Amino acid sequence: FPDIQKKPYLDEDGLMHWPVIMIYPESGQVEFIEDFPEDSTFEPFMDMMFQDDVSAFPWDVQNEYTKSRISLYYSSSYSEVMPQDKLFKWLDGNHVGEQDRTWKKESWEKISPKATLASMLRSKDCIIPGLPTIYAVSDNDFLAKFLSGDW
């Protein structure tokens, strides 16, 4: 996992800049974008990270992670907040599995390359697990597994 030293910050114009985690769930690879201004769209980052017809990744032996075949997603799962007493009971390690699960199965929202990071973060259903996290998935057999949560 990348060494995350960068923190979100406001620039002199009051614009928030975020470190963003990019996960490739099919391969288990992770990348770290150190500085993603909120008003930037995803398109320039996709242009920088993905080539038109040839994959830039040594782990992509099938040549499937190209700009034309890649889609970006964010997690849109949510749940009710676990009450503190139940949380402490669950965290003690002796009661794992005994708690009712109130969360729904993870679901995904596709991100338009023309969307800004701010528009994604403002989405009511966007889950931010510490830092904004983007999932990059190729249009291949794995995509259906990813979208169904069976990966």
Side-chain angles (χ1 to χ4, degrees), residues 24 26 50 55 57 59-60 63-66 70 136-138:
Y24 302 89
E26 182 176 17
F50 304 105
S55 175
F57 305 110
W59 48 263
D60 182 17
N63 202 37
E64 295 180 323
Y65 282 76
T66 62
I70 203 81
V137 184
S138 180

Side-chain angles (χ1 to χ4, degrees), residues 129-143:
L131 291 175
T133 303
I134 308 299
Y135 296 82
V137 184
S138 180
D139 183 15
N140 61 18
D141 293 340
F142 178 76
L143 180 59

Side-chain angles (χ1 to χ4, degrees), residues 61-112:
V61 295
Q62 303 274 327
N63 202 37
E64 295 180 323
Y65 282 76
T66 62
K67 194 164 54 172
S68 63
R69 295 193 65 192
I70 203 81
S71 294
L72 303 179
Y73 295 86
Y74 68 84
S75 175
S76 61
S77 301
Y78 61 89
S79 68
E80 298 173 14
V81 176
M82 183 182 285
Q84 188 175 22
D85 62 324
K86 284 188 175 187
L87 177 63
F88 287 144
K89 186 177 178 182
W90 187 78
L91 289 174
D92 75 6
N94 296 319
H95 298 89
V96 176
E98 294 178 15
Q99 304 302 316
D100 293 330
R101 295 185 179 193
T102 58
W103 62 86
K104 69 176 189 174
K105 191 172 185 178
E106 197 155 30
S107 57
W108 308 98
E109 291 296 323
K110 191 171 185 176
I111 304 167
S112 166

